[in-house]
Amino acid sequence: MTHQFYHVRRWRLFTFLLACILLLTLASPFQTAPVRSQDDNPPYLNPDLPVEERVEDLLARMTLEEKVGQMTQVEKNSINPDDIGPLGIGSLLSGGGGYPTPNDPENWYQMVYEFQNEALNSRLGIPLIYGVDAVHGHNNVVGATIFPHQIGLGATHNPALLEQIGQVVGQEMLATGIPWNFAPVLAVVQDLRWGRTYESYGQDTALVSELAAAYIRGQQSVGVYVSAKHFVGDGGTVWGTSTTGNYMLDQGVTEADEETLRAIHLAPYQAALDAGARIVMISFSSWGGMKMHAQSYLINDVLKGEMGFTGFTVSDWAGMDQISSNYYDAMVTGINAGVDMNMVPYDYHRFINTVLDAVDQGDITEARIDEAVRRILRVKFEMGLFENPFGDDTLLADVGSEAHRELARQAVRESLVLLQNENTALPISEDATHIFVSGMQADNIGLQCGGWTIEWQGRAGAITEGTTILEGIEAVAGENTTVTYSPAGNFDDMTDASGNPVKAEYGIVVVGEAPYAEGLGDVENPTIARNHVTLIEKMRERADKVIVVLVSGRPLLITDVLDQADAWVAAWLPGTEGQGVADVLFGDYPFTGRLSFAWPRNLDQIPYDALLADAEGPLFPMGFGLEQ
Ligand code: GLC
């Protein structure tokens, strides 16, 4: 009996203790449920109120620490998730290659979802805004649809297509929970030796403005916000003026006078703002004797004043640090110059503490902090981030879908520019018996995608899903056509019954550039590689009609070898849908692409103003493109 009684008494004690623990937990000041404010329905959480009312209500509730937290953007591998809530971190990013492991859309969604939950559990529950460089598709994500880089889209001259691409890329981003794109680049490139030439729509301000506006309209129509970048004059730097590593052009000095800067480089920003851009990324480059990140006149007076920009500016990757070797001075100067959010991206504690110290010292006023945070909150409210902080995982099924890839294939077709077509080389007949193909770029997804693909610098190989140019040729060629591929152009074993070398009706040589990004792609002599010329010479011996397809991030100097092939096609960096190239080579679709850059004859015609001054004119003028 005693035994049984003992059990009953112990059970009562256990129940009593459990009740005490529960009571203590509920009353505990360390509860984890999001406690956004004392009243359950504060005005800032009411989506029916005007944005400005929500901004002012929320700003009034924030501590100085929480305000500076909103101005802080941290790279996702550098953040301690436990800091997001307490510090009120406003933004995270994935830099080029900043993917989760495994790298697939579902895992991306999960990663961003977990970070966002930390932010929603902050005292005021302000959602963070997650940003990526989706510069030619959601290009860090394996399986995403990768479109031609902007230089190819520039050759399409098709704003309606750009608007569709903006929508599709935005949908694939939202599928992974990401509402902020560090794109499009608005650079109007003056020197194609720049490693970011391919990130630009071209060399003509009006074309850049028109295509950027279309892309922005498309992307923001699905709820993803763009960043017009890099403000301002990034495409106008002068060779040898960069002080970053061994860069020569990237992050250099834009030596244009103000009138030229406004006419060539600033105009696209007005088009971008008119199209709805609410975020502007500041350029690493310099103008007027100072780093753009310190350029108060252009950021505060021109962008925010004269142009009436009411969104927010974000620095480039540690861009403010370049202002001065004294970190305190650099942060003070950059923030007072008008940089609202700092892409730190690593040591966020140092940034936050430095700014708090500067406010304490009076070097940054709290009014300036309030102005920056007002702008950030305004955009977050406009985006609906408080109502939907998680994107839309129902779109996951559409990432890399057939429909999206078909749009990318269309973009590839329309990006191709026919530079020369002699000996009726093109279109290729489907009745051909033999087609020989050579060149590494023919059968390599990584090479045809270029930089900013899965990895920051991109890389060769089967880095993601897609169709190579060769696979496209094999799929479109006639059923009686034998397609033979030799990367090195060796077709010695192709002989007839008598052992004589077979000569193909068509020889396609696919060559160009290896992947690169930013200043690592700055090149002194952008000429076609000697070993690629050798491939053309070898093909000349083995095919009746020789076609060169250039897979490159810029026009290459080909003047001296032009006559060694019958046809030349600029394919730029087509992305994952390589079969778009074959669609046009075989005549299933016409060539419609037209150059968005003038094609120089020689080095003396680089940069652009040297070409304009040369009476001989370019090898191919801007707007050039044969139809057949
Ligand atoms: C890079 C680039 C910028 C990019 C950012 C985040 O350095 O300059 O275009 O958006 O860092 O990856």
Side-chain angles (χ1 to χ4, degrees):
M1 183 59 97
T2 308
H3 179 68
Q4 188 185 4
F5 174 71
Y6 170 71
H7 263 293
V8 169
R9 213 177 61 206
R10 204 173 68 161
W11 175 247
R12 281 199 182 127
L13 175 63
F14 174 75
T15 310
F16 171 72
L17 285 173
L18 182 65
C20 291
I21 289 167
L22 277 175
L23 273 175
L24 279 172
T25 305
L26 285 175
S28 144
F30 303 107
Q31 44 197 347
T32 56
V35 175
R36 286 176 153 172
S37 71
Q38 298 317 313
D39 51 6
D40 288 341
N41 293 303
Y44 75 89
L45 290 181
N46 179 350
D48 298 330
L49 289 181
V51 163
E52 293 312 312
E53 251 184 73
R54 300 178 75 182
V55 169
E56 293 310 320
D57 176 62
L58 179 50
L59 193 66
R61 296 168 187 270
M62 295 171 76
T63 65
L64 176 62
E65 289 74 10
E66 288 167 332
K67 292 174 183 176
V68 177
Q70 283 300 302
M71 298 170 66
T72 306
Q73 182 182 63
V74 187
E75 189 273 322
K76 68 107 182 165
N77 292 321
S78 305
I79 187 71
N80 172 353
D82 297 338
D83 286 340
I84 294 173
L87 297 181
I89 298 295
S91 176
L92 295 179
L93 83 143
S94 282
Y99 46 76
T101 305
N103 181 352
D104 58 51
E106 290 74 15
N107 217 18
W108 271 88
Y109 185 86
Q110 189 57 32
M111 170 183 76
V112 176
Y113 181 89
E114 289 169 8
F115 283 135
Q116 186 64 284
N117 259 336
E118 295 295 339
L120 296 178
N121 277 319
S122 60
R123 184 177 74 87
L124 293 166
I126 305 173
L128 62 78
I129 177 171
Y130 199 101
V132 292
D133 297 273
V135 296
H136 64 139
H138 199 356
N139 39 251
N140 289 317
V141 181
V142 169
T145 308
I146 307 296
F147 290 82
H149 267 294
Q150 287 190 198
I151 190 169
L153 299 183
T156 71
H157 287 74
N158 184 346
L161 175 63
L162 268 286
E163 193 156 341
Q164 285 180 280
I165 292 172
Q167 289 172 333
V168 164
V169 174
Q171 287 160 355
E172 297 204 3
M173 289 177 64
L174 285 177
T176 63
I178 298 174
W180 181 11
N181 191 359
F182 305 140
V185 167
L186 302 189
V188 182
V189 178
Q190 302 304 300
D191 190 328
L192 52 80
R193 293 174 293 184
W194 188 32
R196 308 196 75 164
T197 296
Y198 68 78
E199 292 186 64
S200 151
Y201 291 117
Q203 212 161 46
D204 176 72
T205 298
L207 178 65
V208 168
S209 301
E210 180 188 30
L211 296 182
Y215 182 84
I216 291 166
R217 282 194 303 273
Q219 191 134 106
Q220 302 216 157
S221 72
V222 299
V224 168
Y225 274 47
V226 303
S227 320
K229 75 179 187 181
H230 309 79
F231 185 85
V232 61
D234 54 345
T237 58
V238 171
W239 183 266
T241 59
S242 181
T243 55
T244 303
N246 57 359
Y247 294 1
M248 296 306 286
L249 270 172
D250 194 33
Q251 309 189 14
V253 179
T254 306
E255 292 180 354
D257 60 26
E258 181 167 349
E259 184 185 358
T260 306
L261 184 82
R262 284 174 174 269
I264 294 179
H265 303 287
L266 186 65
Y269 285 84
Q270 190 57 62
L273 301 191
D274 293 347
R278 301 294 288 145
I279 305 167
V280 171
M281 183 182 293
I282 306 303
S283 177
F284 279 123
S285 55
S286 301
W287 182 79
M290 65 183 76
K291 279 286 180 184
M292 270 308 306
H293 282 80
Q295 251 295 349
S296 178
Y297 167 64
L298 288 175
I299 302 172
N300 284 325
D301 301 350
V302 175
L303 177 65
K304 295 182 175 180
E306 185 185 314
M307 297 170 74
F309 177 60
T310 58
F312 72 84
T313 64
V314 61
S315 79
D316 202 333
W317 189 276
M320 288 206 290
D321 299 29
Q322 295 182 358
I323 295 171
S324 165
S325 56
N326 177 306
Y327 186 77
Y328 181 91
D329 292 346
M331 294 307 111
V332 168
T333 304
I335 288 171
N336 287 339
V339 180
D340 299 313
M341 182 181 283
N342 182 20
M343 185 187 294
V344 179
Y346 304 119
D347 190 347
Y348 52 99
H349 292 292
R350 182 189 186 197
F351 170 67
I352 293 169
N353 293 333
T354 300
V355 175
L356 292 174
D357 184 20
V359 173
D360 190 41
Q361 302 289 328
D363 293 324
I364 299 176
T365 64
E366 189 150 2
R368 169 59 190 127
I369 298 295
D370 285 353
E371 189 237 345
V373 177
R374 199 169 267 125
R375 289 170 175 270
I376 293 166
L377 295 179
R378 178 178 296 137
V379 175
K380 287 187 174 183
F381 282 122
E382 287 171 359
M383 295 175 76
L385 214 47
F386 283 75
E387 285 68 50
N388 175 21
F390 294 115
D392 182 356
D393 62 349
T394 66
L395 296 172
L396 278 168
D398 299 334
V399 176
S401 68
E402 192 50 43
H404 290 181
R405 292 180 187 277
E406 274 306 308
L407 183 67
R409 182 173 179 172
Q410 174 192 340
V412 172
R413 290 195 291 264
E414 295 191 26
S415 70
L416 303 178
V417 181
L418 182 56
L419 301 172
Q420 178 178 289
N421 187 23
E422 293 173 357
N423 188 19
T424 58
L426 291 173
I428 296 172
S429 164
E430 293 184 357
D431 300 330
T433 310
H434 283 282
I435 297 176
F436 289 171
V437 182
S438 69
M440 287 298 286
Q441 274 76 359
D443 195 30
N444 195 304
I445 287 283
L447 294 181
Q448 70 189 47
C449 285
W452 291 106
T453 312
I454 312 303
E455 308 294 347
W456 174 45
Q457 292 291 314
R459 66 177 170 81
I463 61 173
T464 187
E465 298 156 31
T467 309
T468 66
I469 293 169
L470 175 67
E471 288 166 343
I473 292 168
E474 290 167 338
V476 178
E479 55 188 26
N480 299 318
T481 304
T482 302
V483 177
T484 308
Y485 176 52
S486 163
N490 297 324
F491 301 98
D492 300 343
D493 54 352
M494 293 303 289
T495 57
D496 60 21
S498 320
N500 300 317
V502 162
K503 196 160 189 184
E505 292 95 307
Y506 299 94
I508 306 171
V509 183
V510 189
V511 291
E513 292 187 300
Y516 54 80
E518 302 192 40
L520 295 179
D522 288 354
V523 66
E524 186 163 12
N525 184 0
T527 191
I528 185 170
R530 179 62 227 156
N531 60 318
H532 293 166
V533 176
T534 303
L535 285 177
I536 298 169
E537 292 164 347
K538 289 173 76 173
M539 191 63 86
R540 190 78 272 179
E541 299 302 315
R542 298 304 307 267
D544 295 330
K545 302 176 184 204
V546 177
I547 299 145
V548 177
V549 176
L550 284 177
V551 175
S552 65
R554 56 188 135 215
L556 298 176
L557 299 180
I558 56 174
T559 312
D560 299 340
V561 294
L562 210 54
D563 59 1
Q564 297 197 33
D566 300 296
W568 288 79
V569 175
W572 315 111
L573 296 169
T576 51
E577 308 315 306
Q579 71 273 43
V581 177
D583 290 342
V584 180
L585 292 183
F586 284 80
D588 293 349
Y589 290 83
F591 279 97
T592 57
R594 288 178 287 116
L595 292 178
S596 64
F597 281 84
W599 200 293
R601 293 178 182 277
N602 51 51
L603 264 181
D604 295 336
Q605 290 190 339
I606 300 174
Y608 190 36
D609 54 8
L611 188 155
L612 293 173
D614 183 337
E616 192 180 8
L619 184 62
F620 304 107
M622 198 184 306
F624 179 86
L626 299 175
E627 289 175 10
Q628 279 303 19

